[in-house]
Each structure stands twice: as C-alpha cells, then as structure tokens.
C-alpha cells in the first residue's frame, strides 16, 4: 500500500521551507529591496516626465514592465541547480520530489506574485506622493491618479472585450509557468535560454499561422502576414487560444517540470 | 547493508563504466574503496547515494532503491563529497537549517567533534579555509548518525593533526548499525581504520577482502635486501631497502600497508 507521506508530509515540507528560508533569506531580502527600488524609480521617473495625465493606462504599462522582473525571479527557481556541487546537496536533502517542487512553486510563484502585487501597490503610492512634491509636476499641472487594482479591472472591462479582461493575467501566467518549468531543463543561463526557446516557439507558431493563412486565404494574405480577421474567431478565437494555453501549461508543463526534477542527476 | 547486482552504468554508450558489477557490503564496517583515477569510484558512490540512475541491474541500500530518493532513505545517507560549496551563512545557521531533516541528529556529538576540530558555530562557512570547511562537513556527517556515511577523499585538504583526529573521531563515533565507505587515494591516512578493502579497476572489483583476512594471509615488512629463500609476492624499493609483501607462513601478523597492497593489486601481483 502506498503511503501518502512517501510523497508529501506537512512536517517535512515545513522543515524544507525553514531550510530554504534560513539559507536564502539574504538573497530573498536583497531581491525584495532591489525590486522595491526599481519599481519606485521607474514609477517616479515616468510620473515626473508625464506631460498630461498619469492614469490607469500608465500604471498598466509600468506594471507590465515590472512583470519582467517577476518573470526573472520565477525563472531563477531552483537556485541550487546553478552548479553541480549545490545540485548534489539539493538532491540529497531529505524530502520528496513533490515537496521540493511545491516548495519552489510556493516561494517563486505564489509568494512571488503576492509580494510583487503588494510591492507595486505600495511603490505606486510612494512614487505618487514623492512626484506630487516635485516643483516641475506642480508647475506643469500633470494629473497623477491614485493606483488601485480594481481600476485595473475596470479599465480592462472598459475595452468591452471579455477576453481582454483576463488576457494580461493569462499571458503572464503562461510566461511564468514556462520560465519556471524550463529552469529545470537548463543548467546555465536558464532564463536566457528559456526566453530564446519561447521566442523560437512563438515564431514557429506564427510561421504556422502564416502558412495556414497562405493555404486557406491565398488571395487575401500577402507576405509574412496572418489573416486573423478571416479566421472564424467565433469558433476558436484568440481568447480561447490563451485559455487553452493556460490549460496546457497546467496539465502538461507542471507535471513535465515535476518529472524533470525527479529525473535530475549529477 | 548495500547490495548491488549486475549493475551496468555508462556515461557514453560505447564505453561502459560498470558492466554486470556486483558488490555486497554489510553494516558495521568501514570500507575503503580504492582504485586508480577514472576507475569509477566517485560514480559508484553517486550510484549508492542515488544521485545517478543505473542503466540496468539492481541496487539496494538498507532496503531502498537509491535512485527513488525516498525521503527516509535520504535521511539515512550522508555524502561528504571531495568538492563542495556552502551558502553564505554561519555554521549555526547551517546546522539549524539542515539538522531537523536528519531524525537521528546528535547535537551533543557535534559539539564534541567541534571541540576536537577546534570549530565554532559562530564561524561563517565561506570565510573558513578549505580544510576547516571539510572538517565541519565531516563533523556534520558524523552527527547525523546516518546509517550510510560516504566520504569521497575525506583527508584531502586536512592538515596532519586533523587527519589523525579524523581517524580517531570516525572510529569512536560510528556504531554497528552504520556503514562507512571511504574513497581515497591517500590510503596511508586511513589504513589503520579500514576493516574492508574493495579495489575497483576498469569497472570491475579486482580485490575485496576484510583487513583481518588480509593480515592473516599476507605479511608486510621492510627489508634491507630482497629475500631469496621466501617467495615475495610484491616488492617496492624504498629509502631503507625494500617494502615487501609475502605470504604469511607463521602465526605472526604484520600491520597492513595499504599503499603497498594497492600497488601489488594494481600490478596484478596479489
């Protein structure tokens, strides 16, 4: 009979969590401080240099730029795999593959996203507060709106496209999971290699769509172009494509990552 | 108890490192794993620890298949590698982080070994010399009370007093429940504590004997000139004449000269 504790034990997971935090708290703290400084500097710079109105659209642009940093944090999961010496210690640390995998999902994705959201919210207020004290901002009369996530959602709804409402979060989710899982496939320069692979896969996808456009709409398609408007998007539109990608990421990529971790050798 | 049956392993398909390799090691022993460079010693240690997967064959360490990396198995095995790196933390933090993962961890034993090795928990691991870091890792490994302790070149980087302390501490701290495997080229550093010698060459076991059986069968001595009346199994020139290995003809037993024995085995004289 299979014992559940052979796969997951809460007490062992707590010990692994404590182990990770004790060994890496300085790195986490440093990453957090750097993230705060970068967010603050970026928002303040853009607010001070804004000519008319700094509203939700501008916040959204800055938010997307900052998401790159979150992607880098997620993509640098399993830091022990940077060298064979630390990989050996990691693989021999008493814990199951599932516990080690969930721990990284927890620290890199769940905690990472929560801390990121909170940090962006706090830095938005701090940057606005600072910007409003700048003489140039006072003189130019630039309007800097207050930030809130609910305005994000409202603004997205304003586009009157239900797909667009969650599109940003779905795309961020797909990229995040991709970077997280691909970390287990590469030892050195994992983020860079993952990005190159991602761009390559996107290029293959686009090329396929271009090829299909040329096949099914030969008269309407010119050069490297996708005849998107001619596809029957009511049946399977871009929103459904994104949703399908999220499901594939969850159903295929996350278990794939688990097995990559399980098969890791030194 | 370690059981290896018909194990095959290779890094490149064309050149198998181990082919139909079998080995049995009992608990309560300190095993010296010897071999030339590239003989496969470190690979064998990694296979036993479950860091790499055998291509075929069966492996069992205290009833566990190493590569399955069962958490109980991992909490009962500790590998001290030849090369290692530590996080930028103090010894105290490292102990706090890792000791809870080993159920049999003995803090009292660790403190005793620390005193012997002149280590303090306030030291930052990455500010220590290589030798001090190795001493810390050895101390930690012994304090885990793991059933299987694996040391890959444990005396490399240790100063002369530390090598002697290592022998003393190791012998005094292990129990009959444990098995210790030491892979080393510095055979003189461990020849007084080893009670089983396994020599591997080109992926095969070419010698596998208990120390007491060796000293019962073989006689090691240094002579001014090679004896003509007795058959010498192996000899080597040394500053005072010759170091020789002979068959034991009487009840006299000599001290085991592991380096001489190893050279004799490698030269196919034993």
């Amino acid at each position: 009979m299979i014992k559940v504790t052979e796969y997951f034990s809460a007490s062992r997971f707590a010990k692994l969590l404590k182990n990770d935090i004790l060994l890496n708290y300085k790195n986490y703290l440093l990453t957090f401080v750097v993230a705060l400084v970068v967010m603050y500097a970026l928002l303040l710079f853009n607010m001070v240099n804004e000519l008319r109105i700094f509203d939700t659209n501008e916040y959204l642009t800055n938010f997307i730029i900052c998401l790159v940093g979150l992607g880098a944090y997620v993509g640098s999961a399993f830091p022990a795999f940077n060298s064979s010496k630390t990989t050996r210690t990691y693989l021999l640390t008493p814990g199951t593959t599932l516990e080690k995998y969930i721990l990284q999902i927890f620290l890199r994705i769940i905690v990472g996203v929560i801390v990121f959201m909170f940090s962006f919210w706090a830095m938005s207020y701090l940057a606005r507060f600072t910007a409003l004290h700048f003489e140039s901002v006072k003189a130019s009369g630039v309007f800097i709106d207050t930030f809130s996530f609910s305005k994000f959602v409202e603004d997205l709804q304003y586009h009157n496209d239900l797909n667009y409402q969650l599109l940003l979060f779905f795309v961020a989710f797909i990229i995040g999971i991709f970077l997280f899982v691909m970390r287990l496939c590469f030892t050195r320069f994992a983020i860079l290699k993952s990005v190159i692979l991602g761009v390559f896969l996107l290029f293959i996808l686009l090329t396929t769509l271009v090829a299909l456009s040329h096949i099914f709409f030969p008269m309407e398609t010119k050069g490297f172009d996708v005849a998107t408007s001619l596809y029957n998007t009511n049946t399977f539109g871009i929103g459904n494509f994104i949703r399908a990608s999220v499901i594939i990421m969850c159903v295929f990529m996350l278990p794939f990552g688990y097995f990559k971790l399980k098969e890791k050798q030194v | 108890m370690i059981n290896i049956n018909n194990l095959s392993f290779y890094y490149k398909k064309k050149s198998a490192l181990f082919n139909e390799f079998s080995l049995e090691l009992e608990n309560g022993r300190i095993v010296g794993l010897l071999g030339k460079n590239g003989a496969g010693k470190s690979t064998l240690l990694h296979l036993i620890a479950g860091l790499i997967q055998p291509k075929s064959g069966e492996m069992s360490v205290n009833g566990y298949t190493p590569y399955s990396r069962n958490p109980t198995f991992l909490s009962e095995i500790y590998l001290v590698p030849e090369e290692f790196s530590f996080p930028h933390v103090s010894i105290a933090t490292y102990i706090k982080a890792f000791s809870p993962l080993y159920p049999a961890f003995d803090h009292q034993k660790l403190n005793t070994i620390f005193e012997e090795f002149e280590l303090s928990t306030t030291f930052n691991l990455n500010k220590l010399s290589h030798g001090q870091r190795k001493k810390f890792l050895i101390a930690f490994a012994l304090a885990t009370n793991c059933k299987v302790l694996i040391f890959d070149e444990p005396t490399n980087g240790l100063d002369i007093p530390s090598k002697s302390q290592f022998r003393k501490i190791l012998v005094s701290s292990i129990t009959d429940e444990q098995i210790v495997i030491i892979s080393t080229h510095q055979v003189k550093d461990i020849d007084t504590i080893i009670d089983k010698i396994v020599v591997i060459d080109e992926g095969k076991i070419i010698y596998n004997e208990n120390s007491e059986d060796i000293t019962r069968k073989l006689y090691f001595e240094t002579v001014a000139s090679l004896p003509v009346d007795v058959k010498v199994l192996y000899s080597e020139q040394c500053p005072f004449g010759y170091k020789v290995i002979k068959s034991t003809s009487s009840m006299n037993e000599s001290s085991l000269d592991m380096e001489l024995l190893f050279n004799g085995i490698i030269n196919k004289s034993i």
Side-chain angles (χ1 to χ4, degrees), chain A residues 234-250:
Chain A
N234 289 337
T235 313
F236 197 83
I238 191 78
N240 284 330
F241 174 74
I242 299 286
R243 285 192 194 99
S245 302
V246 170
I247 293 166
I248 289 168
M249 283 288 168
C250 294

PDB file of all heavy atoms in Angstrom, chain A residues 234-250:
ATOM      1  N   ASN A 234     -15.209  33.150 -33.956  1.00  0.00           N
ATOM      2  CA  ASN A 234     -16.343  32.779 -33.094  1.00  0.00           C
ATOM      3  C   ASN A 234     -16.195  31.355 -32.586  1.00  0.00           C
ATOM      4  O   ASN A 234     -16.635  31.014 -31.504  1.00  0.00           O
ATOM      5  CB  ASN A 234     -17.664  32.899 -33.852  1.00  0.00           C
ATOM      6  CG  ASN A 234     -18.002  34.358 -34.081  1.00  0.00           C
ATOM      7  OD1 ASN A 234     -17.530  35.209 -33.353  1.00  0.00           O
ATOM      8  ND2 ASN A 234     -18.782  34.616 -35.125  1.00  0.00           N
ATOM      9  N   THR A 235     -15.551  30.518 -33.419  1.00  0.00           N
ATOM     10  CA  THR A 235     -15.373  29.126 -33.028  1.00  0.00           C
ATOM     11  C   THR A 235     -14.175  28.974 -32.093  1.00  0.00           C
ATOM     12  O   THR A 235     -14.250  28.344 -31.062  1.00  0.00           O
ATOM     13  CB  THR A 235     -15.158  28.252 -34.289  1.00  0.00           C
ATOM     14  OG1 THR A 235     -16.141  28.624 -35.228  1.00  0.00           O
ATOM     15  CG2 THR A 235     -15.262  26.788 -33.958  1.00  0.00           C
ATOM     16  N   PHE A 236     -13.079  29.572 -32.491  1.00  0.00           N
ATOM     17  CA  PHE A 236     -11.892  29.426 -31.661  1.00  0.00           C
ATOM     18  C   PHE A 236     -11.044  30.691 -31.761  1.00  0.00           C
ATOM     19  O   PHE A 236     -10.121  30.798 -32.549  1.00  0.00           O
ATOM     20  CB  PHE A 236     -11.083  28.198 -32.124  1.00  0.00           C
ATOM     21  CG  PHE A 236     -10.093  27.739 -31.091  1.00  0.00           C
ATOM     22  CD1 PHE A 236     -10.497  26.915 -30.054  1.00  0.00           C
ATOM     23  CD2 PHE A 236      -8.773  28.162 -31.134  1.00  0.00           C
ATOM     24  CE1 PHE A 236      -9.591  26.504 -29.091  1.00  0.00           C
ATOM     25  CE2 PHE A 236      -7.868  27.752 -30.165  1.00  0.00           C
ATOM     26  CZ  PHE A 236      -8.280  26.920 -29.152  1.00  0.00           C
ATOM     27  N   GLY A 237     -11.404  31.675 -31.008  1.00  0.00           N
ATOM     28  CA  GLY A 237     -10.722  32.965 -31.073  1.00  0.00           C
ATOM     29  C   GLY A 237      -9.457  32.991 -30.254  1.00  0.00           C
ATOM     30  O   GLY A 237      -9.054  31.990 -29.661  1.00  0.00           O
ATOM     31  N   ILE A 238      -8.876  34.195 -30.210  1.00  0.00           N
ATOM     32  CA  ILE A 238      -7.602  34.361 -29.506  1.00  0.00           C
ATOM     33  C   ILE A 238      -7.770  34.113 -28.001  1.00  0.00           C
ATOM     34  O   ILE A 238      -6.895  33.553 -27.341  1.00  0.00           O
ATOM     35  CB  ILE A 238      -7.002  35.762 -29.804  1.00  0.00           C
ATOM     36  CG1 ILE A 238      -5.555  35.883 -29.314  1.00  0.00           C
ATOM     37  CG2 ILE A 238      -7.844  36.902 -29.221  1.00  0.00           C
ATOM     38  CD1 ILE A 238      -4.580  35.215 -30.220  1.00  0.00           C
ATOM     39  N   GLY A 239      -8.948  34.487 -27.477  1.00  0.00           N
ATOM     40  CA  GLY A 239      -9.226  34.265 -26.057  1.00  0.00           C
ATOM     41  C   GLY A 239      -9.223  32.788 -25.720  1.00  0.00           C
ATOM     42  O   GLY A 239      -8.639  32.364 -24.722  1.00  0.00           O
ATOM     43  N   ASN A 240      -9.872  32.016 -26.596  1.00  0.00           N
ATOM     44  CA  ASN A 240      -9.901  30.569 -26.374  1.00  0.00           C
ATOM     45  C   ASN A 240      -8.501  29.974 -26.506  1.00  0.00           C
ATOM     46  O   ASN A 240      -8.143  29.037 -25.793  1.00  0.00           O
ATOM     47  CB  ASN A 240     -10.834  29.887 -27.366  1.00  0.00           C
ATOM     48  CG  ASN A 240     -12.280  30.100 -26.992  1.00  0.00           C
ATOM     49  OD1 ASN A 240     -12.592  30.242 -25.810  1.00  0.00           O
ATOM     50  ND2 ASN A 240     -13.156  30.148 -27.987  1.00  0.00           N
ATOM     51  N   PHE A 241      -7.730  30.544 -27.433  1.00  0.00           N
ATOM     52  CA  PHE A 241      -6.360  30.070 -27.619  1.00  0.00           C
ATOM     53  C   PHE A 241      -5.546  30.281 -26.340  1.00  0.00           C
ATOM     54  O   PHE A 241      -4.827  29.390 -25.885  1.00  0.00           O
ATOM     55  CB  PHE A 241      -5.713  30.814 -28.796  1.00  0.00           C
ATOM     56  CG  PHE A 241      -4.251  30.505 -28.968  1.00  0.00           C
ATOM     57  CD1 PHE A 241      -3.855  29.288 -29.491  1.00  0.00           C
ATOM     58  CD2 PHE A 241      -3.279  31.427 -28.586  1.00  0.00           C
ATOM     59  CE1 PHE A 241      -2.509  28.989 -29.629  1.00  0.00           C
ATOM     60  CE2 PHE A 241      -1.944  31.132 -28.729  1.00  0.00           C
ATOM     61  CZ  PHE A 241      -1.549  29.916 -29.249  1.00  0.00           C
ATOM     62  N   ILE A 242      -5.712  31.465 -25.732  1.00  0.00           N
ATOM     63  CA  ILE A 242      -4.986  31.781 -24.492  1.00  0.00           C
ATOM     64  C   ILE A 242      -5.448  30.843 -23.376  1.00  0.00           C
ATOM     65  O   ILE A 242      -4.634  30.293 -22.633  1.00  0.00           O
ATOM     66  CB  ILE A 242      -5.214  33.264 -24.082  1.00  0.00           C
ATOM     67  CG1 ILE A 242      -4.692  34.218 -25.164  1.00  0.00           C
ATOM     68  CG2 ILE A 242      -4.608  33.566 -22.724  1.00  0.00           C
ATOM     69  CD1 ILE A 242      -3.203  34.371 -25.277  1.00  0.00           C
ATOM     70  N   ARG A 243      -6.788  30.635 -23.288  1.00  0.00           N
ATOM     71  CA  ARG A 243      -7.316  29.746 -22.246  1.00  0.00           C
ATOM     72  C   ARG A 243      -6.790  28.330 -22.426  1.00  0.00           C
ATOM     73  O   ARG A 243      -6.406  27.667 -21.465  1.00  0.00           O
ATOM     74  CB  ARG A 243      -8.851  29.743 -22.287  1.00  0.00           C
ATOM     75  CG  ARG A 243      -9.454  31.001 -21.719  1.00  0.00           C
ATOM     76  CD  ARG A 243     -10.954  30.842 -21.494  1.00  0.00           C
ATOM     77  NE  ARG A 243     -11.555  32.146 -21.257  1.00  0.00           N
ATOM     78  CZ  ARG A 243     -12.189  32.862 -22.172  1.00  0.00           C
ATOM     79  NH1 ARG A 243     -12.326  32.400 -23.404  1.00  0.00           N
ATOM     80  NH2 ARG A 243     -12.692  34.036 -21.876  1.00  0.00           N
ATOM     81  N   ALA A 244      -6.764  27.891 -23.683  1.00  0.00           N
ATOM     82  CA  ALA A 244      -6.254  26.546 -23.976  1.00  0.00           C
ATOM     83  C   ALA A 244      -4.791  26.449 -23.573  1.00  0.00           C
ATOM     84  O   ALA A 244      -4.346  25.432 -23.020  1.00  0.00           O
ATOM     85  CB  ALA A 244      -6.413  26.245 -25.469  1.00  0.00           C
ATOM     86  N   SER A 245      -4.043  27.536 -23.814  1.00  0.00           N
ATOM     87  CA  SER A 245      -2.624  27.548 -23.446  1.00  0.00           C
ATOM     88  C   SER A 245      -2.455  27.415 -21.938  1.00  0.00           C
ATOM     89  O   SER A 245      -1.566  26.713 -21.457  1.00  0.00           O
ATOM     90  CB  SER A 245      -1.961  28.841 -23.919  1.00  0.00           C
ATOM     91  OG  SER A 245      -2.110  28.980 -25.301  1.00  0.00           O
ATOM     92  N   VAL A 246      -3.334  28.098 -21.186  1.00  0.00           N
ATOM     93  CA  VAL A 246      -3.264  28.013 -19.719  1.00  0.00           C
ATOM     94  C   VAL A 246      -3.522  26.579 -19.269  1.00  0.00           C
ATOM     95  O   VAL A 246      -2.811  26.035 -18.417  1.00  0.00           O
ATOM     96  CB  VAL A 246      -4.290  28.988 -19.073  1.00  0.00           C
ATOM     97  CG1 VAL A 246      -4.399  28.741 -17.578  1.00  0.00           C
ATOM     98  CG2 VAL A 246      -3.878  30.425 -19.341  1.00  0.00           C
ATOM     99  N   ILE A 247      -4.519  25.948 -19.872  1.00  0.00           N
ATOM    100  CA  ILE A 247      -4.850  24.566 -19.501  1.00  0.00           C
ATOM    101  C   ILE A 247      -3.677  23.643 -19.848  1.00  0.00           C
ATOM    102  O   ILE A 247      -3.279  22.796 -19.046  1.00  0.00           O
ATOM    103  CB  ILE A 247      -6.157  24.112 -20.197  1.00  0.00           C
ATOM    104  CG1 ILE A 247      -7.322  24.935 -19.631  1.00  0.00           C
ATOM    105  CG2 ILE A 247      -6.405  22.622 -19.996  1.00  0.00           C
ATOM    106  CD1 ILE A 247      -8.594  24.850 -20.444  1.00  0.00           C
ATOM    107  N   ILE A 248      -3.084  23.852 -21.022  1.00  0.00           N
ATOM    108  CA  ILE A 248      -1.943  23.015 -21.433  1.00  0.00           C
ATOM    109  C   ILE A 248      -0.777  23.200 -20.461  1.00  0.00           C
ATOM    110  O   ILE A 248      -0.129  22.241 -20.052  1.00  0.00           O
ATOM    111  CB  ILE A 248      -1.511  23.344 -22.888  1.00  0.00           C
ATOM    112  CG1 ILE A 248      -2.574  22.831 -23.858  1.00  0.00           C
ATOM    113  CG2 ILE A 248      -0.150  22.735 -23.227  1.00  0.00           C
ATOM    114  CD1 ILE A 248      -2.421  23.330 -25.287  1.00  0.00           C
ATOM    115  N   MET A 249      -0.567  24.455 -20.063  1.00  0.00           N
ATOM    116  CA  MET A 249       0.521  24.750 -19.124  1.00  0.00           C
ATOM    117  C   MET A 249       0.308  23.985 -17.820  1.00  0.00           C
ATOM    118  O   MET A 249       1.234  23.427 -17.262  1.00  0.00           O
ATOM    119  CB  MET A 249       0.557  26.254 -18.823  1.00  0.00           C
ATOM    120  CG  MET A 249       1.164  27.061 -19.935  1.00  0.00           C
ATOM    121  SD  MET A 249       2.935  26.799 -20.028  1.00  0.00           S
ATOM    122  CE  MET A 249       3.291  27.562 -21.578  1.00  0.00           C
ATOM    123  N   CYS A 250      -0.943  23.999 -17.333  1.00  0.00           N
ATOM    124  CA  CYS A 250      -1.234  23.334 -16.059  1.00  0.00           C
ATOM    125  C   CYS A 250      -1.200  21.822 -16.193  1.00  0.00           C
ATOM    126  O   CYS A 250      -0.633  21.124 -15.362  1.00  0.00           O
ATOM    127  CB  CYS A 250      -2.598  23.768 -15.526  1.00  0.00           C
ATOM    128  SG  CYS A 250      -2.633  25.493 -15.091  1.00  0.00           S
TER     129      CYS A 250
END
